[in-house]
């Protein structure tokens, strides 16, 4: 079945440094979503990408969807302590629902 | 309500007992999902309801797990004869339609002792 992987599993950065997490699917995706889960909280939707090669920005966050629609990335510029949490991608391979990746846990040291 | 509501927020149960978890989705949302999240782990898909279609039960880990949804409203996830490995946070999410933004509830933390 469809598998969605994310790397790295953990990332520790100094405040102000950049951060990138990568999401890879075993199958071509029709859509990909990104969620953020703060410690002790629930996942919160960040964005959805649909088009091949699509790039979307939200303030310091940049999301990309690969040309082959099998991978995606989330890049955070100049991290802040408020960026701490686990970032999940969720991909759909033209199926019924999204399959979540295992997440990348980000720690930001002040 | 304004968001997805789950109850109870915490549940401690003895091994072998049955538990029922409730999810009230956002009004008008046709899609409803249940996920399980073990401590420090990702989201494990359990079941998906979409409108009046047959639910996708492909993620249910065993026949001890079942879920129902009344129309496009409340859903209940039932775990029979609970085991210690069932201990986790059970998250419910709803969305306006297929493959759209999912809104998550706060989850039910289940502890089986």
């Amino acid at each position: 079945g469809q598998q969605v992987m994310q790397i790295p599993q953990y990332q520790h950065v100094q405040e102000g440094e950049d951060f990138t997490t990568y999401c890879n699917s075993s199958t071509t995706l029709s859509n990909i979503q990104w969620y953020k889960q703060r410690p002790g909280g629930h996942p919160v939707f960040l964005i959805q990408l649909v088009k091949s090669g699509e790039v979307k920005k939200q303030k310091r966050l940049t999301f990309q969807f690969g040309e082959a629609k099998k991978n995606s990335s989330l890049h955070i510029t100049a991290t802040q302590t408020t960026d701490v949490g686990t970032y999940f991608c969720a991909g759909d391979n033209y199926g019924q629902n999204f399959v979540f990746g295992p997440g990348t846990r980000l720690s930001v040291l002040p | 309500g304004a968001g997805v509501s789950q109850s109870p927020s915490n549940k401690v149960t003895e091994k072998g007992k049955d538990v029922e978890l409730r999810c009230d989705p956002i009004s008008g949302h046709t899609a409803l999902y249940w996920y399980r999240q073990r401590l420090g782990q990702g989201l494990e898909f359990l079941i998906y309801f979409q409108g009046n279609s047959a639910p996708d039960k492909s993620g249910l880990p065993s026949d001890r797990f079942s879920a129902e949804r009344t129309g496009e409203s409340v859903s209940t996830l039932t775990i029979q004869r609970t085991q210690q490995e069932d201990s986790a946070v059970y998250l419910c999410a709803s969305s306006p339609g297929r493959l759209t933004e999912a809104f998550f509830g706060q989850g039910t933390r289940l502890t089986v002792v």
Side-chain angles (χ1 to χ4, degrees), chain B residues 9-28:
Chain B
S9 54
N10 282 283
K11 176 72 176 178
V12 180
T13 190
E14 292 181 350
K15 178 181 172 182
K17 294 284 179 68
D18 297 353
V19 294
E20 194 172 273
L21 312 180
R22 177 187 169 103
C23 174
D24 281 277
I26 293 172
S27 178

Side-chain angles (χ1 to χ4, degrees), chain A residues 33 35 37 42 45 95 97, chain B residues 37 56 98 100-102 105-106:
Chain A
Q33 295 180 341
Y35 291 80
Q37 185 175 26
H42 59 278
F45 175 83
N97 63 77
Chain B
Q37 188 173 34
D56 177 356
R98 229 187 116 251
T100 56
E101 174 185 353
Q106 296 287 351

Side-chain angles (χ1 to χ4, degrees), chain A residues 3-14:
Chain A
Q3 292 188 348
V4 176
M5 303 305 297
Q6 284 185 252
I7 54 171
Q9 186 176 3
Y10 300 95
Q11 184 78 58
H12 304 280
V13 300
Q14 203 72 35

